[in-house]
Every structure is written in structure tokens, then in C-alpha cells.
Amino acid sequence: MREPYYITTAISYPNGRPHIGHAYEAIAADVIARNRKAEGYDVRFQTGTDEHGLKMMQKARELGTTPAELATEMSGYFRDMCDALNVGYDVFIRTTEERHHAATQELWRRMEAKGDLYLDRYEGWYSVRDEAYYDESELVTGEDGTKLSPQGTPVEWTVEESWFFRLSKYQDKLLELYASGDFIRPESRRNEIARFVEGGLRDLSISRTSFDWGVKVPGSDNHVMYVWVDALTNYLTGLGFPEEGGDYARYWPAALHLIGKDIVRFHTVYWPAFLMSADLPLPRQVFGHGFLLNRGQKESKSLGNVTDPIALADAFGVDTLRYFFLREVAFGQDGSWSAEAIVTRCNAELANSFGNLAQRSLSMIFKNMGGELKAGLEVSEADAALFSAVSEGIAAMRKSFDELDFSTGLEAWMRAVFACNQYVDEQAPWALRKSDPARMEAVLMTLFRVVRDLAIALRPVVPQSIDRLLDQMGVASEARDYDVLAQTDWFETLAASGFVVDKPQGVFPRLELPEEPAKDPAA
């Protein structure tokens, strides 16, 4: 039986349309999920929208609609984004679903049964935009003298009756968790969170009475749950919790929560503490990725640089965008994008290097061999060296992808592509056609083999383009995962089947800079 692997994104807060950061996280999670499937895992991939809280109420009031209507409309945009970017989620969760209310209320009851909840009065600083409480010591002073959160968002003094969670009780257990392994990645995030917890944890206010758009506290008419208790529970809801058989039994605990660095505290302090209180297993890892900056600047409506990810994909191509995001940015760190960078990177690597390699190889087979594949040809020392270089490059790529180091993995893949192009230049099959036709055929068959292997290795990143290429190469749709890379007789079987290479169609066209950048239509 295949090993289960449950990956989630953060669920997006839909008080506005998706931006480039949402697309970046969704694409990265999809590549991880596809890579794990290619490695043979039984993958479960969940994303969705976090639809409760004061921000949604305020936005709905501003637009003259209801929170429920706003949530439904905006959630649709996030689903559309995932579909447009070929993000193959298994579950798209919405926190307004009845099943989610049931799961969250059950988690509450278990924490209450543990003696970890009590009713008191909350007085302190709260950021509506962050949906977060902050200690006085964490605040910064704005240019106009106002108090701001560490993220620079406005805070307001809040006084109301609230249920509290005994977060302070779990301080030592959390520090043990951080020290025990790789629960938090990358290391910089782990160090940051450990320092925060070492500074002392205060009990956490986890209900509100000042609004009613949320999950009701069990047994209470006027309390709704703090949005982070609600939101974090989505990872259980999508598996059928509180039922503990079926998908929950198979996939929980999650292998990976993939989130932005700005919400690491909620996922690595509050979430494991809630689960410890409810006597539920903890996720194996939380990875806090960096921000994707627009020419070095964080996108914001005030700067007028908010990018519509679907329009960006329309301008450059879905697979091109997916490749660029993972190749350009060291995963876990902040990175920057621009139209010029996309064109430069993807023309050099996808179009000119790999795309041209595949196109030239298949074209020469079509023109010089009538598209026929021939097995049993003599393998020279140069051929064997190329097979070895490609195999080593793919192995290095797979190892880096397993460690979520995508840019390094794709660099290893590109080294293998460069080795292939150097081989073409050195062997010059166009010259061999006249001087040594048998050797030309051996060279072209060698190229056919390595192009197939390189394509399969890259498929999790650019699946649509690679499938179009593999279709032209006669590779069966069920023979495109990594296990086939170890097969030694696939080429002989394909050649014996009578498959003939037809005139190839390029799958990575050269890009041109668009006249206008892709802007968010709602910005």
C-alpha cells in the first residue's frame, strides 16, 4: 500500500480577489503534490477559503451585501484561480460549510473537556486586518504616532468578555516540539518562533461577542470563535473529522502545512497547542515560505502594483509561470518577479535549452529516419556518459525537491539539459547523416531516450506542456511517473510497438514582453 501524504495550503481570506502571493503558494503546493504522486505516494491535497471574521463583515457592509454573499462570490474567484493555474486540489474547503462548523465545535468541546478553556474579560490590542492579538511590547509606532502591529497594520484597544485558551500551559511542550526535529521550516522561522515562545506565552482570547459572523461557541448564544480557532480546524474538516475513520485515519496527521511566513505563529504555536489540548496528533511539518515581490516591492493597492495571477498566466502561459516561480526564487526566502525576468528566464531555459533540444531531436528523427525508432543500436562511450549525466541530474533534482529546494533542483535538471545540448553539438548528427548514417541513428535514439527522461522529471512543474511532448513521443499516460525512469526495456518495447514519430510541435514557444503588465481588475 502506498504511503499517504497530506499537504495543505493556508486557506485564503476572501475579502478581496486573489493576488500573486495566493498563486505562488497554490502553485508550490501543487508541484509538491504532483512530485509526491510521481514518487509513488498516496497524496491528498487541500486548499480553500477562510470566510469568517470581522474583516468579512466590514467588507460586506462596505459593498452593501451580506457576509455570506460576499464569501460565496469571492471564494469562487479563488477556486477559479486554482483551476486556471492547473492546481489539482482534491478538496476545496470553505469554512462556512456545515461540516466545518461541526468539526470546529467538536475541537472546542475537546479543549473544554481538557480544562483548557475559561471565561474572562479581554482587554488588549487587536488588529482587525491580521485577525491577531498583540502584546504592548510587540507594537511599533507609525509615522503619525499611531500604534501598529509588527506587520504595520492598525491596532485597536478591545474590551469584551471572552473565552480564553490556556496557551501558557503548553509553553514547555511547544519548545520540546521545536527542538525534536523539523516541525518548523525553514530554520530561520523555527528560531524566530522558538524565541517568541521562550519569551513567555499568555493565555489566548479565543471568542468574540462584538460580531456574530463565525462559528458559534457550543452552548453560547453570543460568542463566536476567534477566527484562527475556526480557520486552523479546516485541515481536520476536509478529512471528515470528527469522524476518526476513513480519510482522517488514512491521512492525518498532515505531512505538510504550506503557509506564508506572516502566519507561521498561528500554525506553529496556537495550532499545535490546540491539538495537544484535544489529544489529537500534530502535523509533521509546517513550512513558512517567503513573499513574492513585484520588482522588489510587496504588492499593495496603495502602490498600484497588485497583479492578477490569471491575467499573468494568460500573458505568459500557465506552465511558464509555474516554472518561473519555482526556478527563480529560493523557496523559503523572499523573491522578486518582473515581466522581463519571466521572459529572460523562461526563454533561456524552457524555450531555447530544453524546448529546442526536444524539438530538434524529434524533428531529426522525423526527417532522417521517417519517424522510426530503432532499438539495439551500438552505445558509444559518449552515449553512456550522457545517460549517466542525465541520470545524475534527475536524481539530484528529485533529492532537492524532496527537501523543498526547488530552485536548486531545477538547476540540477538544467545541468542535465546543458549536457544534452553539448552532446548534440559534439556529435553533430546532421553531419553524420552523410558520413556515418548508422552512428546518426544511434545519436538520435540516445537523444530520444534522454528527452523522455528529462520530460518526466519536469512534469510536476509544467504538467500540461510535458504531457503534450510525451504524447508526441508515444509515452503512455500511465507511464509518466518516476518509477518508469528505472525501467530498462521501455525503449525497446516502444520501438517494437511500431510507434512512429510524427512532425513535432513545439511545446515551449519563445515569449515576448506584453505591452501592458497584468493588473488586478479589482485594484
Side-chain angles (χ1 to χ4, degrees), residues 71-109:
T72 296
E73 177 190 355
M74 290 297 180
S75 180
Y77 294 132
F78 282 85
R79 192 187 294 266
D80 290 346
M81 178 199 74
C82 287
D83 294 344
L85 298 176
N86 198 18
V87 174
Y89 55 84
D90 298 296
V91 178
F92 189 99
I93 192 78
R94 296 184 58 193
T95 57
T96 47
E97 297 176 48
E98 287 186 13
R99 60 173 175 160
H100 180 67
H101 285 240
T104 308
Q105 289 173 334
E106 176 60 21
L107 183 74
W108 182 284
R109 292 187 190 98

Side-chain angles (χ1 to χ4, degrees), residues 221-239:
D221 292 329
N222 63 334
H223 283 261
V224 296
M225 293 185 204
Y226 173 44
V227 70
W228 278 104
V229 179
D230 167 3
L232 290 161
T233 309
N234 92 87
Y235 305 127
L236 299 174
T237 303
L239 297 178

Side-chain angles (χ1 to χ4, degrees), residues 36 68 75 77 88 123 137 159 200 251 259 301 342 355 421 428 434 472 522:
R36 290 290 173 168
S75 180
Y77 294 132
E123 294 188 24
S137 63
V159 179
Y251 293 105
I259 58 167
K301 290 186 177 181
I342 293 173
N421 283 317
K434 292 183 178 179
Q472 296 180 65

Side-chain angles (χ1 to χ4, degrees), residues 39-285:
E39 293 284 7
Y41 288 79
D42 174 16
V43 175
R44 174 87 161 196
F45 174 21
Q46 179 170 306
T47 189
T49 43
D50 169 19
E51 301 173 16
H52 292 133
L54 184 55
K55 281 191 294 187
M56 287 295 285
M57 281 193 64
Q58 292 177 341
K59 187 66 175 180
R61 189 181 304 121
E62 174 189 325
L63 296 174
T65 187
T66 68
E69 289 169 337
L70 176 64
T72 296
E73 177 190 355
M74 290 297 180
S75 180
Y77 294 132
F78 282 85
R79 192 187 294 266
D80 290 346
M81 178 199 74
C82 287
D83 294 344
L85 298 176
N86 198 18
V87 174
Y89 55 84
D90 298 296
V91 178
F92 189 99
I93 192 78
R94 296 184 58 193
T95 57
T96 47
E97 297 176 48
E98 287 186 13
R99 60 173 175 160
H100 180 67
H101 285 240
T104 308
Q105 289 173 334
E106 176 60 21
L107 183 74
W108 182 284
R109 292 187 190 98
R110 294 190 185 197
M111 295 192 295
E112 188 174 27
K114 193 72 168 287
D116 286 341
L117 307 184
Y118 62 92
L119 196 61
D120 205 338
R121 179 182 174 88
Y122 176 76
E123 294 188 24
W125 297 103
Y126 184 74
S127 166
V128 175
R129 192 178 303 174
D130 297 345
E131 297 281 14
Y133 303 95
Y134 294 105
D135 187 79
E136 181 87 31
S137 63
E138 296 181 87
L139 302 182
V140 296
T141 303
E143 292 181 0
D144 59 356
T146 58
K147 292 182 181 294
L148 302 172
S149 76
Q151 282 71 43
T153 58
V155 295
E156 57 187 41
W157 186 258
T158 301
V159 179
E160 63 181 315
E161 181 183 70
S162 177
W163 282 94
F164 281 77
F165 173 71
R166 298 185 192 278
L167 184 62
S168 56
K169 170 181 172 182
Y170 292 92
Q171 179 172 331
D172 291 342
K173 290 182 179 180
L174 289 169
L175 290 173
E176 289 175 10
L177 172 65
Y178 307 152
S180 66
D182 289 331
F183 177 71
I184 307 174
R185 287 187 61 203
E187 186 179 359
S188 58
R189 313 267 188 264
R190 181 169 72 245
N191 294 339
E192 175 187 333
I193 292 299
R195 286 194 299 270
F196 170 75
V197 174
E198 286 166 355
L201 293 178
R202 298 169 57 190
D203 289 352
L204 180 67
S205 171
I206 58 168
S207 76
R208 302 295 301 274
T209 58
S210 56
F211 62 93
D212 62 0
W213 180 241
V215 178
K216 296 288 187 183
V217 169
S220 174
D221 292 329
N222 63 334
H223 283 261
V224 296
M225 293 185 204
Y226 173 44
V227 70
W228 278 104
V229 179
D230 167 3
L232 290 161
T233 309
N234 92 87
Y235 305 127
L236 299 174
T237 303
L239 297 178
F241 183 83
E243 294 296 325
E244 295 189 40
D247 288 336
Y248 175 88
R250 176 146 190 77
Y251 293 105
W252 191 259
L256 180 67
H257 290 322
L258 183 64
I259 58 167
K261 67 178 184 180
D262 53 333
I263 54 173
V264 170
R265 180 188 302 185
F266 306 105
H267 284 79
T268 59
V269 181
Y270 302 166
W271 181 226
F274 295 160
L275 292 170
M276 289 175 184
S277 175
D279 292 320
L280 294 171
L282 306 185
R284 295 190 182 94
Q285 190 171 97

